[in-house]
């Protein structure tokens, strides 16, 4: 029963986050990124942190809810690999971007670190993290929340684009031409070249 409460809270939060992105996308009201507006930032943070807590609670409470037809090592090994990769990407991408830029405050255009390979490594990291827990927990509820978070994160990356163009101008347009939104062949080629050097 508690898992359904956590799931409902998580679902409501991801819908609210999705609504913030839709309002920003279809109107002149910019709710994301919040920039220097503390009220907008607090609104976003309230929903995103509550979602994360509800997601983790649903994961713990509905562990083994059974949605994958595989079990044991066939499920746990990929899930554990995804979890380690997701957490590592989250830590590195957050460090690379810095706190102010993560909040949507104008800073330098970040093109180093993981941002050499992906324009949205933080979003990508969260997607990997959520997918890893959906696989490891083998929970239909967790998988549904992960799917909702994926839809939100994809829309968020699109919604940020006009602000990035407006804020960074030609530098951002040139960056966008050479670096994919999430991951692409360019990302893999650059990563392999970096490893060889």
């Amino acid at each position: 029963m508690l898992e359904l409460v956590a799931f409902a809270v998580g679902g409501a939060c991801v819908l609210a986050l999705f609504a913030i992105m839709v309002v920003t996308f279809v109107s002149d009201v910019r709710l994301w990124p919040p920039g220097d507006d503390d009220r907008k930032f607090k609104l976003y943070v309230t929903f995103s942190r509550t979602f994360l807590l509800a997601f983790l609670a649903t994961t713990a409470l509905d562990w083994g809810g059974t949605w994958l037809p595989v079990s044991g090592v066939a499920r746990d090994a990929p899930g554990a690999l995804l979890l380690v990769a997701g957490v590592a990407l989250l830590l590195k991408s957050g460090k690379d971007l810095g706190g102010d830029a993560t909040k949507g405050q104008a800073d330098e255009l970040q093109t180093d670190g993981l941002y050499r390979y992906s324009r949205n490594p933080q979003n990508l990291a969260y997607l990997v993290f959520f997918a890893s827990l959906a696989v490891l927990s083998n929970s239909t509820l967790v998988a549904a929340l992960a799917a909702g978070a994926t839809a939100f994160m994809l829309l968020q990356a699109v919604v940020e684009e006009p602000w990035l163009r407006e804020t960074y101008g030609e530098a951002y347009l040139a960056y966008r031409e050479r670096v994919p939104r999430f991951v692409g062949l360019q990302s893999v080629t650059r990563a392999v070249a970096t490893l060889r050097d």
Side-chain angles (χ1 to χ4, degrees), residues 43-123:
L43 177 71
Y44 176 82
V45 165
T46 297
F47 286 122
S48 63
R49 288 184 180 164
T50 304
F51 170 77
L52 184 58
L53 290 173
F55 180 84
L56 293 173
T58 305
T59 301
L61 294 166
D62 198 46
W63 194 271
T66 312
W67 71 282
L68 290 172
V70 295
S71 62
V73 174
R75 180 194 67 230
D76 295 345
L81 269 169
L82 284 172
L83 181 61
V84 169
V87 170
L89 284 170
L90 272 172
L91 294 173
K92 175 71 171 134
S93 61
K95 183 176 184 242
D96 287 348
L97 188 59
D100 289 343
T102 297
K103 289 169 60 172
Q105 295 175 345
D107 201 356
E108 283 184 39
L109 177 62
Q110 180 55 259
T111 60
D112 294 328
L114 292 179
Y115 289 83
R116 288 179 55 204
Y117 311 103
S118 170
R119 296 194 319 263
N120 298 98
Q122 283 185 327
N123 291 46

Side-chain angles (χ1 to χ4, degrees), residues 13 18-19 23 35 61 78 85 94 132 150 166 174 187:
C13 287
F18 199 82
V23 167
L61 294 166
S132 73
T150 298
E166 179 185 311
S187 306

